[in-house]
Amino acid sequence: MNREETIIRTGMKSKAGRSIDWDVSPDGAKILFNTGHIADGLLLLDVQKQQVSKIPSESGRFWEMAAWSHDGGQIVAISTVVRDNRYQVGEQEVILIDPSTWKHRTLTVSKGVNIFPFFSADGRTIYYFKGEERDSGATPASRFDLYAYDLATDKETRLTYEQIYQVGRGHDDGKTIMFSAYGIRRMPSINPNSRRQQEQRGIYIFDKTSLHLRHFEIDQRNGFFELSFGDRDVARNIYFRAAKLPPGGGRFVWFIYRCNPQGKDCTMLSETQIGTDVRVAQMTGEILISVAQSDEIVFRRLDQVR
């Protein structure tokens, strides 16, 4: 099966050196995204019309890392304090947004660097990662763990005790939670060429019944590495970004792959670039890839052609 692409334009520019946060609605009709510029706020892209509108948010706060519920009826996001036109690391709230009115509810979570919230498959729980602010180093925060927030009881529960160096956006399929991470010191080596333990990157899976976290093995006989989780579809197929060395060496070449729920039968879907990400519209199965070009943020929808 060959694939053609539909280019979805935004007319917006991303902040240099910053990846964009985004998510596609389950029906594939809308995309929520941030450019990285505080003044732009949280943006909504109508895919068919290719029109962008700004979501009204709170004064003195920046809404980011927005994610749709599996049925499209709710949105969860991070509301970060902005002071003197700067993000205030550690002053981040988890909020629940009604997309029909854009009114929001602030969840009562404990203090910390709260990032990458996402819904449980049944919409009853919000998951997110909580870390600690750093006084020095290459990243503003680290020591992240997975937390759950029960929307019915307003109870927050810590699920892992790993103090992970860095994490990525997660996905819940009802039984397991999958996400990218590196710097889980107790895990076996993922990349034998890593010079330091915290450089080991990979995809991890958390079993909601046993509360066990483990490295998820993906068949890498095709020679790709530096795996970064993107999404799963309703059949639990896994979509991720990975790099390969070109023949004869040189700079890494980046691709979007799909594998089956067991981590086998990996198929290359599209060549891409570092800093891009992949999402799946849960109701339609449409596959979208973000591309932050020098002059514009665009999204590429992969269309199947038999």
Side-chain angles (χ1 to χ4, degrees), residues 145 159-164 179 182-190 197-198 200 204-207 211-215:
D145 273 294
L159 299 178
T160 65
Y161 292 83
E162 303 291 345
Q163 296 188 329
I164 307 167
F179 61 94
Y182 66 102
I184 302 181
R185 299 184 181 278
R186 69 175 178 84
M187 296 291 179
S189 177
I190 299 166
Q197 184 76 11
Q198 70 179 27
Q200 298 169 4
Y204 293 83
I205 190 165
F206 176 79
D207 188 291
L211 304 183
H212 177 67
L213 177 69
R214 64 178 174 87
H215 174 241

Side-chain angles (χ1 to χ4, degrees), residues 43 97 129 134 137 140 178 186 202 220 288-289:
L43 301 170
I97 304 171
F129 297 95
R134 302 179 72 192
M178 185 168 282
R186 69 175 178 84
Q220 295 179 240
L288 290 98
I289 303 170

Side-chain angles (χ1 to χ4, degrees), residues 264-279:
K264 309 294 184 183
D265 298 328
C266 295
T267 301
M268 190 274 286
L269 301 179
S270 179
E271 184 173 341
T272 185
Q273 62 192 45
I274 190 170
T276 61
D277 214 339
V278 58
R279 298 280 185 272

Side-chain angles (χ1 to χ4, degrees), residues 133-152:
E133 187 176 357
R134 302 179 72 192
D135 295 327
S136 62
T139 57
S142 65
R143 297 176 177 266
F144 289 97
D145 273 294
L146 180 65
Y147 282 71
Y149 188 94
D150 187 305
L151 292 173

Side-chain angles (χ1 to χ4, degrees), residues 67-220:
W68 298 86
S69 60
H70 289 229
D71 64 2
Q74 299 182 93
I75 295 167
V76 66
I78 295 297
S79 174
T80 302
V81 170
V82 174
R83 192 175 299 117
D84 298 326
N85 204 36
R86 295 191 179 193
Y87 302 94
Q88 301 302 306
V89 177
E91 296 187 48
Q92 289 136 323
E93 296 177 339
V94 181
I95 61 172
L96 198 63
I97 304 171
D98 181 346
S100 66
T101 63
W102 300 114
K103 292 182 179 180
H104 75 281
R105 164 192 169 196
T106 300
L107 306 185
T108 310
V109 303
S110 58
K111 188 177 180 181
V113 181
N114 299 300
I115 62 172
F116 296 135
F118 57 101
F119 282 91
S120 63
D122 61 11
R124 298 175 181 175
T125 303
I126 301 296
Y127 297 106
Y128 49 95
F129 297 95
K130 188 187 301 291
E132 298 176 9
E133 187 176 357
R134 302 179 72 192
D135 295 327
S136 62
T139 57
S142 65
R143 297 176 177 266
F144 289 97
D145 273 294
L146 180 65
Y147 282 71
Y149 188 94
D150 187 305
L151 292 173
T153 64
D154 290 329
K155 180 182 179 182
E156 181 185 60
T157 303
R158 183 174 180 175
L159 299 178
T160 65
Y161 292 83
E162 303 291 345
Q163 296 188 329
I164 307 167
Y165 182 62
Q166 288 295 294
V167 294
R169 187 187 291 262
H171 175 271
D172 172 46
D173 68 359
K175 296 181 179 180
T176 62
I177 293 170
M178 185 168 282
F179 61 94
S180 293
Y182 66 102
I184 302 181
R185 299 184 181 278
R186 69 175 178 84
M187 296 291 179
S189 177
I190 299 166
N191 180 359
N193 297 319
S194 290
R195 291 171 296 173
R196 296 184 301 166
Q197 184 76 11
Q198 70 179 27
E199 290 179 351
Q200 298 169 4
R201 302 169 186 263
I203 297 175
Y204 293 83
I205 190 165
F206 176 79
D207 188 291
K208 294 170 62 175
T209 301
S210 67
L211 304 183
H212 177 67
L213 177 69
R214 64 178 174 87
H215 174 241
F216 185 79
E217 298 290 342
I218 289 181
D219 185 351
Q220 295 179 240

